[in-house]
Amino acid sequence: MSRLFQDISILDKTKEYIWIHCSSVGEINLTDSLINNFKKNCKYNILITVFTDTGYETAKNKYSNEKNIFILKFPLDDMFILKKIFSQIKVSKVLLIETEIWPNLINLGNKYSKVFIVNGRISNKSFPRYKKISWILKPLFSKIDKFFMQSEDDKNRIITLGACKNKVFVTGNLKFDISFETFSSEDMSNLKNIMNIDSRKIFVAGSTRQGEDSILIDIYKNLKNTLLVIVPRHLERVNEIETLLNSSNLKYKKLTDLEKNSTSERFQVLIVDKMGILRKFYSIADVVFVGGTLVNIGGHSLLEPLFYGKSPIFGPYLQNVKDISKDILNLNIGYKVANKEEFLNTINLLETNPVSEDKIKAFFKSNQNATEKTIKFMEE
């Protein structure tokens, strides 16, 4: 109910607004470069609305000290509240990140401002569902000024669903423009010290989902001189992972416990039971697995480990990262595995023949500037 009773009087009425609507944490993070670009144009305030509570908290943490950025929880497409916002402030542009389709927001956005789909994506899974309601989507899409899609496939799909082809542009993926944080050698050394690494290798399993941890534990049992770090996508699964480790007779620690009381006791598995620290673990990893790919979720960010020079290993379920995973596989800077044997062979391959960091840097450089293209087409 808090979404429907927010204080919108906090919105400053002295400037025009760019309204950026995001679903969750991922969309908040990938809009960094867009928001930084808009911040330079001092005539605009920025209103960010977020659908999930975790996304809202992430946005607050990022931008609470920015006087020209205002953050609200998305009011569930409530016509009355949305109309109240549009009538209280002058909105110049509404940006819907990654195909967030909310009918009232689109209709009112079209009435009061311009509406854009930014970093648009239509996944293999959602396309058939959208096709069934294309008769609803087509008139809604007519209210959108331009569609900035990640790939040619996404462009063709949105046109099939009813978007006017003259309004659809391929601008690439904003994920390549994300400003990933860097960590000092002291930061990384301190983290290793907390973990009692000694001479062991570090196997980081990032953003794991239900059904993957048991597979990863089975793989880990075949590795020597290695510490397994499990970073679940959702913290409510920590108890479930503890149960799996206990049944496997593996000694484990939780990160929050180690941070409170360091120990010299040797353990085999670390459970990362806090948010926002995965990238730091990627930076110190020797082996990286990206979750949501061994079960039918569709995959999480493959770019994060690559940024830190680590070749990601991932499973066959890649519908959320389809284009990026294809590029990674074509360039041989990451590896897809279907079973335990392939996983273990890949770990051995990476140990004897690691991927060149220069090759990874070239991949990032060739895919950047999605932000620049988006803003250019938006302003034309």
Side-chain angles (χ1 to χ4, degrees):
M1 291 298 288
S2 62
R3 296 173 177 277
L4 302 178
F5 296 98
Q6 298 175 89
D7 181 12
I8 63 172
S9 67
I10 62 168
L11 299 175
D12 172 21
K13 301 175 186 177
T14 61
K15 293 181 182 177
E16 289 185 24
Y17 277 78
I18 295 174
W19 184 339
I20 300 175
H21 175 62
C22 300
S23 175
S24 190
V25 175
E27 290 75 30
I28 289 293
N29 287 334
L30 69 82
T31 53
D32 275 353
S33 55
L34 265 181
I35 289 171
N36 288 333
N37 197 291
F38 290 136
K39 273 166 54 182
K40 293 173 189 173
N41 191 335
C42 297
K43 80 172 190 176
Y44 291 117
N45 283 332
I46 298 169
L47 169 61
I48 301 172
T49 53
V50 195
F51 182 69
T52 68
D53 291 338
T54 51
Y56 175 77
E57 292 303 322
T58 301
K60 293 289 282 186
N61 290 337
K62 273 179 177 284
Y63 301 118
S64 58
N65 294 324
E66 300 280 352
K67 64 178 183 179
N68 293 329
I69 298 179
F70 300 82
I71 301 155
L72 294 174
K73 293 179 179 179
F74 184 60
L76 304 177
D77 213 33
D78 182 273
M79 174 67 86
F80 175 76
I81 298 172
L82 292 175
K83 201 166 187 177
K84 193 174 176 184
I85 294 172
F86 276 109
S87 60
Q88 180 166 313
I89 60 174
K90 181 172 175 52
V91 179
S92 169
K93 301 176 180 70
V94 176
L95 277 55
L96 306 174
I97 308 301
E98 292 213 342
T99 328
E100 277 285 289
I101 300 171
W102 295 96
N104 288 333
L105 180 56
I106 291 171
N107 282 315
L108 286 169
N110 174 254
K111 182 178 177 182
Y112 289 96
S113 64
K114 290 186 179 293
V115 183
F116 304 95
I117 294 285
V118 174
N119 215 53
R121 179 172 68 90
I122 306 290
S123 69
N124 291 347
K125 190 174 180 180
S126 62
F127 185 51
R129 295 202 302 265
Y130 282 143
K131 277 185 82 172
K132 291 176 183 176
I133 58 165
S134 59
W135 58 279
I136 297 173
L137 294 176
K138 188 171 183 178
L140 201 56
F141 285 171
S142 71
K143 307 285 181 69
I144 295 172
D145 291 87
K146 288 178 183 175
F147 301 77
F148 305 123
M149 309 303 288
Q150 293 181 22
S151 69
E152 285 293 334
D153 281 349
D154 295 311
K155 174 183 174 179
N156 293 333
R157 284 174 179 171
I158 204 87
I159 290 169
T160 301
L161 295 174
C164 173
K165 65 180 180 181
N166 295 331
K167 293 182 177 181
V168 184
F169 305 85
V170 176
T171 50
N173 195 328
L174 288 175
K175 287 181 179 177
F176 285 98
D177 290 348
I178 290 175
S179 297
F180 293 103
E181 60 264 59
T182 55
F183 304 104
S184 67
S185 55
E186 184 180 3
D187 286 335
M188 293 189 281
S189 179
N190 288 340
L191 185 57
K192 287 181 178 180
N193 288 338
I194 288 173
M195 296 157 62
N196 296 328
I197 289 301
D198 299 326
S199 62
R200 289 183 291 171
K201 289 185 167 48
I202 303 170
F203 174 11
V204 175
S207 295
T208 65
R209 304 296 286 260
Q210 188 172 40
E212 292 183 316
D213 303 291
S214 57
I215 299 170
L216 295 163
I217 289 167
D218 192 30
I219 288 163
Y220 169 72
K221 288 177 177 177
N222 291 270
L223 303 176
K224 295 178 180 177
N225 202 34
T226 300
L227 174 74
L228 173 61
V229 179
I230 299 177
V231 189
R233 182 72 174 182
H234 301 116
L235 293 185
E236 56 265 30
R237 292 188 49 253
V238 167
N239 289 342
E240 173 190 319
I241 296 167
E242 289 186 85
T243 301
L244 284 171
L245 292 169
N246 284 325
S247 65
S248 300
N249 295 316
L250 292 173
K251 289 185 180 178
Y252 70 89
K253 293 287 181 184
K254 293 189 285 189
L255 180 62
T256 53
D257 291 337
L258 285 182
E259 288 177 333
K260 289 174 192 170
N261 299 297
S262 59
T263 177
S264 58
E265 182 187 349
R266 198 174 175 90
F267 54 93
Q268 296 157 292
V269 182
L270 176 67
I271 304 173
V272 178
D273 57 340
K274 64 189 286 188
M275 298 290 289
I277 199 169
L278 175 58
R279 291 175 182 176
K280 187 179 278 192
F281 279 97
Y282 281 155
S283 75
I284 64 169
D286 297 293
V287 176
V288 166
F289 164 75
V290 176
T293 60
L294 285 173
V295 292
N296 193 9
I297 297 294
H300 298 297
S301 176
L302 302 177
L303 295 181
E304 288 184 344
L306 278 169
F307 179 81
Y308 299 102
K310 311 303 163 69
S311 298
I313 300 172
F314 43 87
Y317 297 101
L318 300 163
Q319 52 268 34
N320 295 339
V321 289
K322 184 181 64 169
D323 295 302
I324 288 174
S325 63
K326 278 183 187 174
D327 291 341
I328 287 171
L329 292 170
N330 287 338
L331 291 168
N332 295 316
I333 55 176
Y335 297 89
K336 182 166 75 170
V337 297
N339 52 48
K340 173 181 165 183
E341 185 181 359
E342 288 183 9
F343 207 128
L344 290 169
N345 288 340
T346 300
I347 292 173
N348 289 332
L349 175 64
L350 283 169
E351 189 172 356
T352 56
N353 188 26
V355 173
S356 158
E357 286 198 32
D358 288 340
K359 204 172 178 182
I360 294 172
K361 286 175 183 174
F363 170 62
F364 272 89
K365 190 172 180 181
S366 66
N367 282 285
Q368 284 171 337
N369 301 321
T371 302
E372 189 179 306
K373 292 174 192 172
T374 298
I375 290 172
K376 178 188 169 189
F377 285 126
M378 197 181 294
E379 298 297 341
E380 283 179 354

